[in-house]
Amino acid sequence: MIECDHRMDKIANVTVLGSGTMGHGIAQIAAMAGFNVHLRDVEQRFLDNAMDKIKWSLNKLVEKNKMTKESFEQTLSRLVPLVDLKEGLKNADLVIEAVPEDLSLKRIVYKEVSAYADPKTLFASNTSTLPISEMANLTDRPGSFIGLHFFNPPQLMKLVEVIRGHKTDQSTVDTLMAFVQDIGKSPVLVQKDVAGFIVNRIFIPLVHEALFCKERDGVTYEEIDAAMKSKLGFPMGIFELADYTGLDVVNKASQEMHQRDENVINPHPLVEKLFEQKKFGQKTGEGFYSYTSDKYERKDLVQADALSFDPIAMLAVASNNAGWLLSNGVCSRPDLENALRLGMGLKKELLATAQEIGTKRIIDKLYELSDKYGKFYSPDPYLLQLAD
Ligand code: 3HC
C-alpha cells in the first residue's frame, strides 16, 4: 500500500484511460488547457474514432471563433493516443479513468495501473454511479484516489463533481479541485458518496418517471420533452437527453443506483428493454427517437406540444430527490442549483420552480403517487419543511 505523504503541487501530465464519449472529451479539454495528455484505449480503432470526434469538436470551436487555428494545432500536438498502457502511464501526474462502468473491468484496470504508475501519480475515476471508496480500495493508493465526474458533452458542460472516498487525503481533494479549475471547469464538492452523486440523482430517475408519465397521461415523447423545455427550463427534453447520453449509460446507471439504494429510482422496464435491443440512442441511430448521425443531433420539438402535458409529476420527483440530497447533507442548496445549472444546463433553479408552482401542490402530487405506487414517491422531510 502506498502512503500518501506528498502534496502534488503541479499537475502537468495527464493520462486518460478509455476514449469513449467521456474519455475523449476529457482528454480534449485537458489538452486545450495546456496539459500534456496521453489518451489510452485497448484498440487502435477506438482511438482513431476518438481522434475523429476530437477533431470534429475542435473544428466546431474554430468555426464559432471560440478557438484559433493555432490553438487547434497546439491542442492536437499535446494529445498522444496510444494502446500501450505502460507507455501511456509514463510521467503521469494524474490518471483519469473513464472505462466502461463495470466493477470487474475496473478491478483489472486498477491492478495494472497501480503496478505501472509512479507512486506519486494521483488517480481519479469519472464513474457516474459506482462507489468511490470501493473503487479506491481496488488501488494501492486510496489516499490519492478521488471521483471526478464530468458531464456530457465535457467540451461544453462546465460542471465537474468532485467526490471524496472515505480515505481520500485532503491534499488530493485540494489538488484536484484546483486542477478542475485549471481546465476551465467549475468543481462542486459532493460531501457524501451517495448513489448518483448530485446530478444523476436528479437526472436518471427522471428518465424512468417520464416513461411512467407517458403511460399514465397518454402523451407522446415529444409532448413530454417540449414541456420539460418550455415549462421547467431544461435545455433538452428528457428523452432527447437520455438518447444523447446513451441508453447503455442510463441503463447501467439505473441498475447501479437501484442496487445501492432502492428508494432512489422507480425503474421502468423499457429502459432495460431498449438496452437489450441495442437501441442506445444517438450513438446507434435509435433510442426513444431515431437519428441520422452519431454526432450531435437535436430533435425538432414544437413548443405548442408542451400544452398537452403538465410536468407536475416530473417536477415532484426531481424536487423530492433534490430534497433528499439536502436533508442528507450531500450538498448545500446553492451547490445543488449550481450543479444542475452547470451540469444539466437548467435555465431556472429547480427548487425555485417548485416554489413558484407551489410546494403544497407538489407534496399533494407525491402523496397521490405514493398511495398508488409506493414509497419511492413519499415526500422528503426537506420538501415538507419548505411547504410550512
Ligand atoms: N464540441 C464542440 N461543439 C459541440 C459539441 C462538442 N462536443 N457538441 C455539440 N456542439 C455544438 C453543436 O454542434 C451546436 O453547434 P451548431 O450550432 O453549429 O449546430 C452547438 O454546440 C450547440 O448548439 P444548440 O443550439 O444545438 O444547443 P444548446 O444551446 O441547447 O446547447 C447543450 C447544447 C450545451 C448540450 C445544451 O443543450 C445542454 O446543456 N444540454 C443538457 C446536457 C446535459 O444535461 N448533460 C448532462 C447529461 S448527464 C451526464 O452526462 C452524466 C453521466 O454520468 C450520465
Side-chain angles (χ1 to χ4, degrees):
M1 183 75 49
I2 288 177
E3 293 299 325
C4 181
D5 56 355
H6 64 278
R7 162 98 164 77
M8 173 78 67
D9 286 318
K10 189 106 192 75
I11 290 174
N13 303 319
V14 178
T15 299
V16 179
L17 303 177
S19 67
T21 310
M22 301 307 289
H24 86 263
I26 296 168
Q28 178 186 330
I29 51 181
M32 280 165 60
F35 293 88
N36 302 313
V37 181
H38 283 171
L39 176 59
R40 192 264 172 175
D41 213 322
V42 289
E43 286 187 43
Q44 188 58 41
R45 66 192 170 104
F46 298 143
L47 292 167
D48 294 343
N49 189 24
M51 290 310 289
D52 271 357
K53 289 196 170 139
I54 290 174
K55 283 176 196 153
W56 174 86
S57 171
L58 292 172
N59 268 319
K60 274 271 163 200
L61 299 176
V62 172
E63 252 173 48
K64 289 174 187 239
N65 293 323
K66 289 184 180 161
M67 172 180 262
T68 60
K69 199 76 193 117
E70 201 185 3
S71 350
F72 174 104
E73 298 300 343
Q74 284 167 352
T75 299
L76 285 180
S77 72
R78 284 192 284 264
L79 244 170
V80 180
L82 31 70
V83 171
D84 186 329
L85 180 62
K86 216 169 178 177
E87 190 60 28
L89 292 169
K90 214 182 220 171
N91 302 325
D93 300 313
L94 169 66
V95 172
I96 305 179
E97 171 271 310
V99 308
E101 294 281 74
D102 175 345
L103 206 54
S104 49
L105 171 66
K106 305 235 189 211
R107 183 168 286 116
I108 297 169
V109 169
Y110 280 119
K111 195 168 173 213
E112 283 183 319
V113 174
S114 296
Y116 295 144
D118 184 274
K120 287 203 168 158
T121 308
L122 301 175
F123 290 176
S125 174
N126 176 55
T127 183
S128 37
T129 43
L130 294 171
I132 298 304
S133 302
E134 213 173 300
M135 292 179 59
N137 286 335
L138 300 176
T139 75
D140 59 351
R141 61 196 79 189
S144 303
F145 190 97
I146 204 161
L148 273 196
H149 184 216
F150 290 77
F151 291 81
N152 190 26
Q155 295 91 338
L156 303 186
M157 307 312 288
K158 282 276 177 203
L159 178 69
V160 179
E161 291 175 335
V162 179
I163 311 106
R164 62 164 103 226
H166 296 317
K167 297 182 189 159
T168 310
D169 295 321
Q170 189 55 41
S171 65
T172 306
V173 176
D174 295 343
T175 307
L176 271 299
M177 290 289 281
F179 169 76
V180 169
Q181 282 166 336
D182 289 345
I183 55 170
K185 301 289 170 191
S186 302
V188 165
L189 188 60
V190 182
Q191 301 295 346
K192 288 187 185 163
D193 180 7
V194 297
F197 312 136
I198 300 175
V199 170
N200 278 347
R201 186 114 194 168
I202 307 292
F203 165 46
I204 302 291
L206 277 184
V207 179
H208 296 264
E209 189 58 25
L211 287 166
F212 286 116
C213 286
K214 182 174 179 294
E215 282 168 10
R216 291 177 199 143
D217 296 7
V219 284
T220 63
Y221 292 138
E222 288 84 353
E223 285 165 336
I224 293 176
D225 275 357
M228 294 304 286
K229 283 180 74 173
S230 69
K231 295 182 181 170
L232 301 185
F234 279 58
M236 286 179 167
I238 201 75
F239 294 113
E240 201 187 16
L241 178 58
D243 273 356
Y244 176 60
T245 305
L247 293 177
D248 50 342
V249 174
V250 172
N251 180 55
K252 186 73 184 163
S254 305
Q255 289 175 343
E256 289 294 343
M257 287 170 68
H258 197 240
Q259 203 178 321
R260 280 181 81 180
D261 176 355
E262 63 175 28
N263 289 326
V264 72
I265 205 161
N266 184 24
H268 189 289
L270 186 61
V271 172
E272 192 171 356
K273 193 168 167 199
L274 290 172
F275 169 74
E276 279 164 0
Q277 293 170 344
K278 298 213 172 351
K279 293 180 179 168
F280 296 167
Q282 208 168 304
K283 65 178 99 166
T284 56
E286 199 180 344
F288 295 116
Y289 299 108
S290 299
Y291 299 87
T292 55
S293 142
D294 69 345
K295 300 254 163 47
Y296 182 81
E297 184 178 327
R298 298 292 294 272
K299 291 288 116 188
D300 285 328
L301 296 168
V302 183
Q303 202 177 339
D305 276 350
L307 296 172
S308 318
F309 177 61
D310 175 1
I312 182 76
M314 297 294 283
L315 182 59
V317 165
S319 311
N320 209 29
N321 274 334
W324 186 93
L325 289 166
L326 300 177
S327 43
N328 285 280
V330 178
C331 56
S332 64
R333 184 165 167 177
D335 275 355
L336 167 87
E337 297 295 1
N338 217 13
L340 294 177
R341 180 170 59 84
L342 301 171
M344 284 187 86
L346 251 62
K347 297 189 174 102
K348 282 166 76 177
E349 289 197 353
L350 178 69
L351 291 176
T353 310
Q355 284 177 299
E356 218 173 275
I357 290 195
T359 334
K360 170 146 186 351
R361 222 188 121 205
I362 288 173
I363 288 167
D364 288 347
K365 186 70 192 175
L366 287 168
Y367 279 132
E368 179 199 317
L369 291 167
S370 62
D371 283 349
K372 284 190 195 155
Y373 306 111
K375 69 175 181 185
F376 166 72
Y377 295 99
S378 300
D380 186 84
Y382 184 90
L383 275 195
L384 295 172
Q385 184 201 319
L386 211 58
D388 284 345

